[in-house]
Amino acid sequence: TLLSSLGLGTTLTFASSHWLLAWMGLEINTLAIIPLMAQHHHPRAVEATTKYFLTQATAAAMILFASTTNAWITGVWDMNNVSSPVASTMIIAALALKIGLAPMHFWMPEVLQGLDLLTGLVLSTWQKLAPLALIIQTAQAIDPLLLTALGLMSTLIGGWGGLNQTQLRKILAYSSIAHMGWMIIVLQYAPQLTLLALLTYIFMTSAAFLTLKASSATKIDTLATVWSKSPILTTTTALVLLSLGGLPPLTGFVPKWLILQELAKQSLPLVATVMALAALLSLYFYLRLCYAMTLTISPNTTTSTTPWRVQTTQASFPLALATVMALGLLPMT
C-alpha cells in the first residue's frame, strides 16, 4: 500500500496542471514515505522521520499558500502562468525546501543519516522527481538571478559540507545537494539538460547506495575492509564514485560537460568557472572514499580465517544494472 501510494503521489504531481492536484500528489507522496522511513523504530530513524515530516509539511503548506495567492491575483489555478512574482518566489522557495537545495538544505544530511540504505536511496532519487517536475514547469516565471543563486549555493555547499564527513550517508546527502545545484543552474537555458543530469544522477546514486547495501557499510572505515571480501565490487565502486565526481570517460562527466558548455554559450563564463571549481570540492571527498576503499590496506584486518565471499541476500541485478549505467553511458554513446 505504502509503495503504491508513493508511486501514485509522484505520478499525480507529474500529471497535474492544476496547483491543488500537484499539492495533493506531493502530500500523498510525503505521507507514504513516512512509515517507510520509521519502519525500524530506531530512535534515529524516528527523529529523521520527524524532521523530514516537518520540512515537507512546511513546504507543502507554502506551495498551497503561494498557489492560492496566485489564483487570488490572476483567477486561474494553472501552472504554466504564475504571473505574480510573490507567488513564483514562494513556490520556488518551497520546492527548493522539498528537494533540499541550499540554503534550505539543512534537513537533508540529518534525515538521510537516520535512515537505512534502501529508504535513503528512495529519498535521494524518487523523492526528487515530483518537486523537480514542478520546478521545471514553473521555471520560466522565476527570476533567473534567484535560480542561479540557488544553483551556485547548492554546488558550493554540497562540496564544502561533505569535506570532513566520515558517515557515508551524510556524504551522499551532500553529493545530492551538489547535483541538485547542477540541475537548477541550467534550468532556464536548457531544461533537457536538467533532465539528463537528473537521470545520470539517479543511476550513479543508485549504484552507490546499492553497493553500500551489499557490503552494509555506513562509515568510511567500513569501506577499508571491503576489498578482502568482494574485490570486483571494490573496483567498480571506485569507478562509480569517480563517475559521481564527474570524471571522463564515465557517465557522470556527460551532464557536467554539457551544462558547462551551455553556460559558456549563454555567456556566463564566471558562473561556469565557479561551478567547475565547486565540482572539484565534491571530487575531493569522492576521492577520499576511493582512497579508503582501494588504495589503502586497512590496519584493522583480522588474522583469523575470514570468509572470502560475504553471503548477501540482496538481489545483484539492480546493482549490476545501476553500475553499468553509471560507468558506461558516455563510452557507449
Side-chain angles (χ1 to χ4, degrees):
T1 309
L2 292 173
L3 283 173
S4 58
S5 303
L6 193 66
L8 179 76
T10 305
T11 318
L12 258 180
T13 308
F14 280 168
S16 63
S17 56
H18 189 289
W19 274 115
L20 267 182
L21 195 60
W23 166 79
M24 201 178 298
L26 291 170
E27 205 62 12
I28 291 172
N29 198 353
T30 307
L31 289 178
I33 200 175
I34 279 174
L36 293 174
M37 291 165 83
Q39 66 188 340
H40 290 300
H41 296 297
H42 189 280
R44 285 209 183 147
V46 175
E47 184 190 346
T49 310
T50 313
K51 284 177 181 170
Y52 183 75
F53 172 70
L54 290 172
T55 51
Q56 300 297 307
T58 310
M62 271 180 76
I63 289 172
L64 198 55
F65 179 52
S67 52
T68 314
T69 312
N70 184 55
W72 189 36
I73 294 172
T74 59
V76 284
W77 283 89
D78 231 19
M79 265 183 214
N80 330 7
N81 44 8
V82 186
S83 45
S84 138
V86 181
S88 69
T89 309
M90 267 195 298
I91 282 168
I92 190 69
L95 290 170
L97 176 61
K98 261 201 179 302
I99 61 171
L101 281 171
M104 286 76 106
H105 66 284
F106 291 98
W107 59 273
M108 180 94 191
E110 268 88 10
V111 168
L112 207 56
Q113 181 57 32
L115 307 178
D116 68 312
L117 292 165
L118 281 180
T119 321
L121 171 62
V122 171
L123 183 73
S124 42
T125 55
W126 182 255
Q127 292 299 92
K128 307 283 189 212
L129 295 178
L132 261 170
L134 295 183
I135 291 181
I136 289 172
Q137 284 183 59
T138 52
Q140 299 311 319
I142 299 162
D143 183 20
L145 186 64
L146 181 63
L147 276 183
T148 310
L150 280 173
L152 279 175
M153 274 193 75
S154 299
T155 42
L156 284 168
I157 285 176
W160 257 308
L163 286 185
N164 52 1
Q165 296 291 341
T166 55
Q167 301 284 350
L168 295 175
R169 285 167 293 187
K170 280 195 175 174
I171 287 182
L172 282 165
Y174 281 111
S175 120
S176 163
I177 295 168
H179 276 92
M180 290 294 139
W182 278 92
M183 286 170 218
I184 293 301
I185 198 92
V186 77
L187 184 54
Q188 282 186 326
Y189 312 112
Q192 65 273 23
L193 287 187
T194 301
L195 287 174
L196 175 75
L198 177 65
L199 196 67
T200 51
Y201 161 75
I202 285 178
F203 282 136
M204 296 184 295
T205 308
S206 308
F209 268 107
L210 290 170
T211 307
L212 298 182
K213 176 87 172 54
S215 53
S216 58
T218 54
K219 290 196 197 64
I220 291 186
D221 55 0
T222 324
L223 287 181
T225 55
V226 174
W227 64 271
S228 64
K229 297 168 184 166
S230 41
I232 304 289
L233 189 62
T234 310
T235 317
T236 55
T237 311
L239 289 171
V240 165
L241 287 167
L242 292 178
S243 178
L244 267 166
L247 289 187
L250 304 163
T251 306
F253 180 56
V254 182
K256 287 191 165 49
W257 175 24
L258 292 174
I259 287 172
L260 288 177
Q261 189 182 348
E262 183 62 34
L263 288 173
K265 204 184 289 178
Q266 300 286 349
S267 62
L268 297 166
L270 196 62
V271 175
T273 310
V274 176
M275 293 296 280
L277 292 175
L280 277 179
L281 285 170
S282 302
L283 183 63
Y284 174 73
F285 59 78
Y286 297 127
L287 280 175
R288 258 178 71 214
L289 294 185
C290 284
Y291 180 74
M293 269 193 97
T294 55
L295 298 177
T296 52
I297 290 183
S298 164
N300 53 4
T301 25
T302 51
T303 48
S304 63
T305 52
T306 47
W308 184 247
R309 291 274 179 267
V310 174
Q311 292 304 313
T312 173
T313 54
Q314 184 189 337
S316 55
F317 178 69
L319 172 57
L321 184 70
T323 304
V324 168
M325 288 302 198
L327 300 184
L329 277 186
L330 176 56
M332 280 193 290
T333 52

